[in-house]
Amino acid sequence: MTDPTPPGDSTKDAERYFRLIAENLTDMVALVDTDGRRLYCTPNYAFLGDPEKLAGTDSFGDVHPDDRENIKRIFRETFRTGQGQQADYRLTLPGGKVRQIHSQGVPIKSPSGAVEKLIVISRDVTDEREAAERQRALELQLFQAEKLNSLGKTVSGVAHELNNPLTGIMGYCQLLLRDEAIQENSRHREDISTIFREAERCQKLVRGLTTFARKHKPEKTHLGINGLLQDTLKLQDSHLKVAGISVALDLAPELPKTMADFHQLQQVFINLLLNARDAMACQQREKSIRIRTSLRDRSILVEVEDSGPGIPQGSFDTIFEPFYTTKEPGKGTGLGLSISFGIITGHGGRIWAENAPGGGARFRLELPVIAPAAGNASQEPVKSGAANKDRRVLIIDDEQCVVDVAVRILRLIGLSPDTARDIETAKRKLVAGDYDTVLCDYRLPEMTGLELFTWAAAVKPALKTRWIFITGSSGGEELADSGCPVLHKPFSIEALQEMITSRLNA
């Protein structure tokens, strides 16, 4: 762009026309000299100060320090080549806030072709960039949800195949440990106890997989926060070790239980552990996480503290807002702490962040101590003996090992078991017999246990209150909507006995 005076117009008229056009644009317009000093700014530069007083100031002074050298390089290149260039950078406002800016340079050349001045046309793109980032985060969340749904189906099938043999292993171990001959042989008793403990490890691993492969309805139970933290750490142990992070636990020994949703609180603790891990990812010094629990004014206090760089000043008010993240693009959705805040608030508690005195971030959360309602008290177990011998239980499962273990346990507590390993036999026995309780597997070859329940309830409505589902995977929302209790494989003798009690007393 050459700088001729329009024919027939004075220089003053040309300046007036320029100002009239520039000051009615939505974009910001500045005229700068060869040193980068502002000669003129349109009124919409007011966020940097009085536009009149900006004249003569260094245009590079407001550029974010991390972007300044690059903008200077582009500026010099424009004057050297005479070619206007575009640039994206950040401006730092007087109050410390940062705005995203997109600029286009238009060189003004003398008749000889040398660049004398530069018109810089700029646009504040902060809002549209943030909107685009939110959109990308939502798309990523949807993609992750789809992956999780696919993973859930796969894990559910794998869990079913693993939990069936685990039911047999753990069930027979429990039966053997109750045998008098085994109780009198310390060596055999210890060997069987070891087998049982190792099977429990497998059970917890499978349960951990299914926990994160499906969503759960909020379901508050009377649980211990210390145990929940320990279970969560077991799931994350390998990830933290690979990252070179040591974990120290300082758990109050007499911490009371409270009513809480296991899966939701586990999600909160997972989020805090992952945030701590990511904050220390590039750290060369020792990486550590310390977790403490204590009781304060009838509230349970949990602290998760890391040895990372800490939380940036000015972020404490926004850290729990949706889409807020300090991670690189693509490495975080900014939803973890927001979701955690909602979960803790939904439990009647509160969560906040601070920097530890010795450095690093510290997250604190408080949960009220809530006792279970009177209706949650456990019932008296069914007593074994002659009084139960006429109480019949039908076991419907296609796994012979599961059927055999269930039969042994039911006989142990004095009940009279019957079995069916296929749908045809189950239907025939349900029609012909009168059962006090039905134990039915959710996954059956010809039809699901839920479909069989629907059929049986139509034939004999009394079975609606006598039915118990057993499952090695998950029935999703379907089983919860049936109104029937669900016993998860592998189950203990006590768990089966308690479930039978609830149905016989219904």
Side-chain angles (χ1 to χ4, degrees):
M1 175 177 176
T2 310
D3 189 17
T5 302
D9 285 348
S10 67
T11 302
K12 188 174 292 187
D13 286 338
E15 182 179 338
R16 181 168 56 86
Y17 293 149
F18 172 80
R19 286 178 178 269
L20 184 64
I21 294 171
E23 292 174 6
N24 283 278
L25 293 174
T26 55
D27 290 344
M28 300 174 287
V29 179
L31 182 66
V32 299
D33 64 15
T34 56
D35 294 322
R37 288 192 302 271
R38 299 183 180 102
L39 303 176
Y40 166 77
C41 292
T42 51
N44 48 11
Y45 264 97
F47 63 86
L48 287 176
D50 185 349
E52 295 292 335
K53 294 181 179 179
L54 287 176
T57 60
D58 180 12
S59 62
F60 301 120
D62 301 309
V63 177
H64 192 281
D66 293 344
D67 300 336
R68 193 171 296 151
E69 286 306 315
N70 184 52
I71 293 301
K72 286 184 176 180
R73 181 190 60 79
I74 295 174
F75 180 81
R76 290 192 296 267
E77 187 73 8
T78 301
F79 273 85
R80 186 181 68 82
T81 63
Q83 300 294 319
Q85 299 188 51
Q86 298 184 31
D88 291 292
Y89 57 98
R90 291 164 292 175
L91 277 183
T92 304
L93 277 57
K97 288 189 176 181
V98 175
R99 305 296 293 179
Q100 299 281 339
I101 305 295
H102 175 79
S103 294
Q104 168 72 57
V106 181
I108 298 177
K109 300 177 182 179
S110 67
S112 66
V115 178
E116 294 182 331
K117 300 180 183 68
L118 186 67
I119 296 175
V120 182
I121 304 170
S122 302
R123 178 176 299 173
D124 187 334
V125 294
T126 306
D127 292 340
E128 63 184 78
R129 294 271 172 86
E130 289 178 351
E133 187 62 33
R134 287 195 292 270
Q135 179 64 29
R136 283 194 294 271
L138 288 172
E139 290 172 356
L140 178 61
Q141 190 179 15
L142 177 60
F143 177 65
Q144 290 171 335
E146 291 172 348
K147 287 199 301 182
L148 195 61
N149 183 55
S150 176
L151 175 64
K153 293 177 181 178
T154 303
V155 169
S156 181
V158 173
H160 177 78
E161 296 304 319
L162 290 174
N163 280 328
N164 278 326
L166 280 175
T167 301
I169 295 169
M170 295 178 71
Y172 281 117
C173 282
Q174 292 175 86
L175 290 168
L176 284 170
L177 289 171
R178 293 188 176 214
D179 188 277
E180 290 183 4
I182 296 297
Q183 290 178 358
E184 294 172 0
N185 189 316
S186 60
R187 180 178 176 182
H188 289 168
R189 186 177 65 250
E190 183 58 34
D191 289 346
I192 295 169
S193 296
T194 300
I195 295 171
F196 183 77
R197 285 194 301 270
E198 293 304 305
E200 274 190 316
R201 285 182 61 196
C202 297
Q203 174 197 17
K204 289 175 181 177
L205 177 61
V206 174
R207 191 161 293 175
L209 289 172
T210 57
T211 293
F212 294 104
R214 64 177 188 269
K215 291 187 178 294
H216 296 265
K217 283 185 175 180
E219 181 181 346
K220 293 184 178 180
T221 57
H222 202 223
L223 54 82
I225 298 299
N226 284 348
L228 195 159
L229 282 165
Q230 290 168 329
D231 287 344
T232 304
L233 279 173
K234 287 177 183 176
L235 290 172
Q236 294 297 308
D237 184 60
S238 61
H239 298 292
L240 296 175
K241 283 183 178 177
V242 168
I245 299 172
S246 62
V247 180
L249 288 177
D250 182 9
L251 306 180
E254 302 298 328
L255 202 65
K257 292 184 177 181
T258 187
M259 294 298 294
D261 185 288
F262 177 92
H263 302 293
Q264 287 190 339
L265 288 189
Q266 189 170 63
Q267 183 178 3
V268 172
F269 296 137
I270 288 285
N271 286 340
L272 295 181
L273 289 172
L274 293 181
N275 279 351
R277 182 200 66 184
D278 293 346
M280 297 184 286
C282 300
Q283 186 169 295
Q284 298 301 316
R285 64 180 187 276
E286 181 184 1
K287 304 175 185 179
S288 64
I289 296 174
R290 179 176 292 277
I291 301 173
R292 304 182 188 89
T293 60
S294 58
L295 185 64
R296 186 169 74 180
D297 299 329
R298 294 299 298 166
S299 290
I300 296 169
L301 177 65
V302 181
E303 299 175 68
V304 180
E305 180 181 322
D306 63 57
S307 61
I311 301 166
Q313 292 298 323
S315 297
F316 295 102
D317 294 334
T318 56
I319 197 169
F320 293 104
E321 291 181 1
F323 306 109
Y324 176 87
T325 181
T326 57
K327 299 176 184 177
E328 297 177 14
K331 291 191 176 181
T333 62
L335 295 172
L337 288 177
S338 173
I339 291 170
S340 298
F341 182 87
I343 290 173
I344 297 302
T345 303
H347 279 73
R350 64 191 188 104
I351 181 172
W352 69 98
E354 59 189 34
N355 282 326
R362 177 193 290 158
F363 285 87
R364 289 181 167 181
L365 61 90
E366 279 185 348
L367 292 168
V369 176
I370 302 174
N376 289 338
S378 60
Q379 301 169 344
E380 288 294 320
V382 177
K383 293 181 173 59
S384 59
N388 295 324
K389 67 178 182 179
D390 294 328
R391 308 189 87 165
R392 304 180 67 207
V393 180
L394 178 62
I395 306 163
I396 306 171
D397 200 307
D398 61 315
E399 287 283 338
Q400 186 64 54
C401 184
V402 175
V403 171
D404 291 344
V405 166
V407 166
R408 292 275 297 275
I409 294 173
L410 293 177
R411 285 177 179 165
L412 179 69
I413 60 178
L415 296 170
S416 179
D418 194 6
T419 64
R421 292 192 57 203
D422 57 74
I423 295 296
E424 184 180 347
T425 303
K427 286 184 174 181
R428 176 165 43 81
K429 290 191 174 185
L430 286 167
V431 171
D434 184 20
Y435 297 99
D436 297 283
T437 306
V438 177
L439 287 173
C440 180
D441 189 28
Y442 174 68
R443 289 197 176 205
L444 295 168
E446 293 90 359
M447 63 194 308
T448 68
L450 185 61
E451 291 170 336
L452 180 60
F453 165 74
T454 304
W455 175 88
V459 175
K460 287 187 175 181
L463 290 173
K464 285 184 179 180
T465 58
R466 301 179 184 180
W467 205 275
I468 298 172
F469 286 108
I470 51 177
T471 178
S473 53
S474 168
E477 303 298 331
E478 297 176 318
L479 294 184
D481 294 340
S482 71
C484 298
V486 180
L487 182 64
H488 291 278
K489 301 175 185 176
F491 46 79
S492 66
I493 293 175
E494 292 76 17
L496 177 58
Q497 188 173 357
E498 184 178 349
M499 195 74 76
I500 293 285
T501 298
S502 68
R503 272 331 207 185
L504 291 179
N505 293 343

